[in-house]
Amino acid sequence: TIIAEEGVQGDLGRLTGSHGVQIGLLVGQVTAQKDFVAFSISTPSLSDICRNEGDSTPADLFENWWVVEHSRQVTMMLPGGLSVVGVFLVGPPELLKTMLPRLRQLLADVCRDSALPPPPHRSRSLLHVCTRTKKHKCQTLDLADAQAVFRPAELKYLPHSSKWHRLEASLALHINTHVSRNQKSKSSSSDLQQAIQAGLRPTLDAIGSALVLLHGQQSQPEEPLVRPSGQKKAGPAKGGIIPAALLLRTSRPPCSHAPKLLDHCTHLQITGNMRCYAFVHSRATCGEAIAAIRQDAARSLLSRVDALCKSLEAEKAEKTGEDDVDSASDEAPSIAPASWQLPRRVALRLPSSNLSIS
């Protein structure tokens, strides 16, 4: 069963009035029993020319790589607990039948999140809105099974926005690592970003297994996050804020490999407190809440590093000029000792909802 916000129905209904083909992302939360769709985001057109040309085929209006890039940028803005749970397609019925194999691969690509290992629930949704009949039909696909086929799913539009629980935590970071630099890379920005992510892998693994305290105490994963008011230790009212704490394990296993010599490396230090917040549905368990706040911590750290790398590359391009950048593209530029501030997180509340994005 797919539970979607009433606002999603209105947003998709307005797209059918444009008499054009539109593809976009469904953002929400996947659980064992039900999937929740909080809001939809239309993927920007790849070319304004394709949008205006009446003789273009529907398949020319978007490319898979463009939708995947849109999904990557959207995922960077999402708090923990929320992710891209599917895609929607607005168009005639014959378009869906023609593009079904392509949409299958697209679902697998856009629902991939590198912050943490894949979640146990790998079912994702494809929502088709017919421009002729105005009907909304949903199908699900199990991405864990390579032989799986699309299966019809029940779709319900309900007002669910006021029932999301928000978890808040602060994570103290003291990261000290060496980042190797690939001298042969011709893309210094992506090379630096990938190298830093590799250096951060031990920290990301520690976040994935961090001890999470809810209401100041350790909880069993199968326990309900919010208990009924008649029971002891009742949680907050629906849609309330739940305090959490992230505690990283400091013990490290003994080194099992011999030391190796690197051609060049950068000493990286990240120190400070990072604010984390996540959202879970009204009947979430403590295990789902723990996974959500861990996901936010890992995703937020990677997103800030990604934004910093792009900022450094933009500053370098402005100083050296386009000609100097091209002439020195075969060499990885050296970085002088410096101190940068990671981008700060700003939470933007969505209209008519208690959900926020960054």
Side-chain angles (χ1 to χ4, degrees):
T1 302
I2 312 298
I3 306 297
E5 294 277 2
E6 287 182 338
V8 175
Q9 184 179 19
D11 293 339
L12 297 180
R14 283 186 288 271
L15 293 177
T16 59
S18 61
H19 302 288
V21 177
Q22 180 66 54
I23 195 169
L25 309 175
L26 300 175
V27 177
Q29 198 165 97
V30 177
T31 67
Q33 290 79 23
K34 299 178 181 179
D35 296 346
F36 300 94
V37 178
F39 56 93
S40 61
I41 305 177
S42 298
T43 298
S45 175
L46 183 60
S47 173
D48 291 335
I49 298 178
C50 291
R51 183 192 305 173
N52 296 328
E53 288 181 353
D55 55 350
S56 298
T57 62
D60 294 333
L61 296 179
F62 70 90
E63 295 290 343
N64 276 27
W65 68 267
W66 179 250
V67 183
V68 172
E69 172 62 19
H70 181 224
S71 174
R72 186 190 69 83
Q73 296 185 21
V74 168
T75 300
M76 290 175 58
M77 302 172 61
L78 296 177
L82 297 182
S83 59
V84 177
V85 300
V87 299
F88 70 83
L89 177 66
V90 178
E94 60 271 13
L95 175 64
L96 176 64
K97 184 177 181 180
T98 302
M99 300 188 62
L100 210 55
R102 183 176 170 187
L103 291 171
R104 178 192 179 95
Q105 181 61 43
L106 180 62
L107 267 181
D109 293 337
V110 302
C111 296
R112 185 179 296 114
D113 189 350
S114 60
L116 286 177
H121 312 299
R122 301 294 306 279
S123 177
R124 293 300 183 267
S125 302
L126 171 62
L127 177 58
H128 175 240
V129 182
C130 182
T131 52
R132 295 177 184 171
T133 63
K134 313 300 181 183
K135 290 184 178 181
H136 297 209
K137 293 184 178 181
C138 193
Q139 304 178 68
T140 59
L141 179 68
D142 185 5
L143 300 181
D145 185 1
Q147 304 298 326
V149 297
F150 283 99
R151 297 183 180 277
E154 183 183 9
L155 176 64
K156 296 181 180 179
Y157 289 104
L158 299 175
H160 185 266
S161 60
S162 62
K163 300 178 183 179
W164 292 96
H165 297 301
R166 178 186 176 111
L167 297 98
E168 294 184 350
S170 179
L171 177 62
L173 292 177
H174 301 282
I175 303 174
N176 190 352
T177 183
H178 289 81
V179 180
S180 61
R181 299 293 306 277
N182 185 357
Q183 295 285 351
K184 297 182 180 181
S185 175
K186 295 186 178 181
S187 178
S188 58
S189 176
S190 60
D191 174 54
L192 177 62
Q193 180 181 348
Q194 294 177 5
I196 292 179
Q197 289 183 2
L200 293 177
R201 179 48 54 185
T203 302
L204 296 176
D205 293 340
I207 293 175
S209 60
L211 176 64
V212 179
L213 303 180
L214 303 174
H215 297 291
Q217 61 184 4
Q218 190 173 2
S219 304
Q220 295 299 322
E222 63 275 6
E223 292 181 9
L225 180 62
V226 177
R227 306 192 181 204
S229 57
Q231 297 184 12
K232 296 181 179 180
K233 299 181 181 180
K238 292 183 177 181
I241 298 177
I242 299 175
L246 275 166
L247 305 177
L248 300 186
R249 307 178 191 274
T250 58
S251 61
R252 295 183 178 180
C255 183
S256 59
H257 57 80
K260 60 181 179 179
L261 181 64
L262 301 178
D263 294 336
H264 181 76
C265 67
T266 300
H267 186 204
L268 174 67
Q269 288 182 317
I270 300 179
T271 305
N273 293 323
M274 186 173 66
R275 179 192 176 196
C276 306
Y277 69 96
F279 292 93
V280 291
H281 60 95
S282 60
R283 297 185 179 180
T285 63
C286 291
E288 290 175 322
I290 292 172
I293 200 69
R294 287 174 177 172
Q295 181 189 51
D296 184 76
R299 182 186 288 169
S300 180
L301 179 59
L302 289 177
S303 299
R304 296 177 200 225
V305 170
D306 177 79
L308 178 62
C309 291
K310 287 181 169 55
S311 176
L312 295 177
E313 184 66 17
E315 292 180 3
K316 175 181 175 296
E318 291 179 359
K319 293 180 180 179
T320 59
E322 295 296 338
D323 296 337
D324 294 338
V325 173
D326 294 338
S327 62
S329 60
D330 293 336
E331 298 182 0
S334 60
I335 300 179
S339 175
W340 298 286
Q341 184 177 17
L342 288 178
R344 292 191 175 186
R345 191 174 194 178
V346 178
L348 302 176
R349 186 169 179 174
L350 298 177
S352 304
S353 173
N354 64 339
L355 295 175
S356 301
I357 61 175
S358 301

